[in-house]
Amino acid sequence: MTDELPDGLPELRASDADREQVSEVLRDALAEGRLDMEEFEERLEATYKARTYKELAPITRDLPAPGVTPPAPTVSMVKGPAAETGSWADRIVGSESCTSQWGVAIMSGFERKGRWTVPRKFNAFAFWGGGVIDLREANFANGEVVVNCVAIMGGMSVIVPPGVEVVVRGIGVMGGFDHTEEGVQGDPGAPRVVVTGFAFWGGVGVERKVTKAERLRQKEERRLEKLERKAARQEELEESRRRALEGSGSGDLDHRDSLDEARSIHRAAMDQHRELMREKRRERRDDRRGRDRD
């Protein structure tokens, strides 16, 4: 989308293809580091809500167009070869870089989330309170870390990313520890998280969740798959209509067969549309639940 639009064009309705074009620019900007995840999510949401070209144009105003390389900055950007980011080896960084050793909640709450470094042993205590220990975007001081939770009439939640092995060794008295994530094989090179401690009239939950960025990526993949299925169905319907029109000059029987085929494809397309709408409603419910959990 360009900034300067001809007179009258800003009020024209934008198509799915237009919104997809803007989405592609945003994804490229995210991959290149021009946008952080929060900005990307805000702009992507605005893209899906946009109905006219006027609403789409400002979303990518400060981003380069696809295939256009912006002028290089005056400062030197020369670097040596960098290791692949995001791998488990990169996230096991050593104990000297730990950013937090403990968390305490007394009639209150605490959170450890985002980019932080988990020590070899992280101690957490909650009395009439609660805590959230989110390891999805964390680095690890060692290949095995211990999260020690003591919950007295309180609760804690330990959130781990997919691929991490979890072992639960806590003891509960009129309380308990969640063992549902045990037994899942970890990825090669992934850290091992041992959840231990004591719960009295309280509980420690353990759940495995993807990051918001990964959830958004999966949502985008599902949306693109739907568009592809919709386009394929539309092509089938157009081909059926074409055959029906061609058959109108070849006799009544061929014409009826073509019309029957067109009606069949149309019914199938309507069934698929209804299924897509049901799936979209399910996704909205899942997104709301995901936001509530986050």
Side-chain angles (χ1 to χ4, degrees), residues 4 25 29 52 58 73 87 114 123 130 136 179 184 217 232 235 277:
E4 296 182 3
V25 174
T52 65
S87 68
N123 293 298
R136 288 177 294 175
H179 290 260
V184 179
R217 186 190 66 79
E235 288 179 4
M277 293 302 294

Side-chain angles (χ1 to χ4, degrees), residues 6-206:
D7 292 340
L9 187 58
E11 299 304 328
L12 288 180
R13 304 284 289 188
S15 66
D16 286 340
D18 297 322
R19 283 184 282 271
E20 181 56 34
Q21 180 183 353
V22 174
S23 300
E24 188 64 32
V25 174
L26 295 178
R27 285 192 290 271
D28 290 344
L30 177 66
E32 294 168 357
R34 302 182 192 278
L35 297 176
D36 60 28
M37 181 51 61
E38 184 176 355
E39 292 173 318
F40 173 74
E41 290 179 351
E42 290 176 356
R43 297 193 189 199
L44 192 63
E45 183 178 3
T47 300
Y48 293 152
K49 291 181 178 179
R51 293 292 176 264
T52 65
Y53 285 99
K54 183 178 182 180
E55 294 171 326
L56 280 178
I59 296 174
T60 56
R61 181 169 293 157
D62 57 347
L63 300 175
V68 176
T69 303
T74 55
V75 297
S76 174
M77 298 293 286
V78 177
K79 295 183 180 179
E84 181 183 356
T85 59
S87 68
W88 289 120
D90 294 333
R91 295 178 64 174
I92 300 176
V93 296
S95 58
E96 67 276 0
S97 58
C98 295
T99 54
S100 181
Q101 299 280 347
W102 49 269
V104 176
I106 299 176
M107 294 185 286
S108 61
F110 75 86
E111 278 191 345
R112 296 292 183 274
K113 63 189 298 186
R115 289 288 184 182
W116 66 295
T117 301
V118 186
R120 291 174 181 266
K121 186 172 184 179
F122 181 84
N123 293 298
F125 176 78
F127 174 73
W128 278 15
V132 176
I133 306 164
D134 191 339
L135 310 182
R136 288 177 294 175
E137 299 181 36
N139 293 325
F140 299 84
N142 192 49
E144 178 174 304
V145 298
V146 176
V147 179
N148 182 49
C149 300
V150 177
I152 309 296
M153 293 181 286
M156 291 189 202
S157 176
V158 181
I159 305 173
V160 299
V164 169
E165 181 185 0
V166 176
V167 177
V168 180
R169 297 175 180 164
I171 299 173
V173 177
M174 292 184 287
F177 280 71
D178 185 359
H179 290 260
T180 56
E181 295 300 337
E182 280 192 300
V184 179
Q185 185 68 34
D187 291 343
R192 188 171 186 244
V193 177
V194 179
V195 180
T196 185
F198 177 73
F200 176 72
W201 279 14
V204 176
V206 181

Side-chain angles (χ1 to χ4, degrees), residues 198-235:
F198 177 73
F200 176 72
W201 279 14
V204 176
V206 181
E207 56 182 330
R208 196 181 302 270
K209 294 167 57 177
V210 299
T211 62
K212 292 177 66 175
E214 177 63 16
R215 193 170 68 241
L216 186 63
R217 186 190 66 79
Q218 293 174 357
K219 181 179 178 181
E220 275 291 284
E221 287 183 352
R222 291 194 299 269
R223 193 181 71 84
L224 291 176
E225 289 174 359
K226 288 184 206 173
L227 289 176
E228 290 174 358
R229 292 198 300 268
K230 181 179 178 182
R233 268 304 190 193
Q234 187 65 29
E235 288 179 4

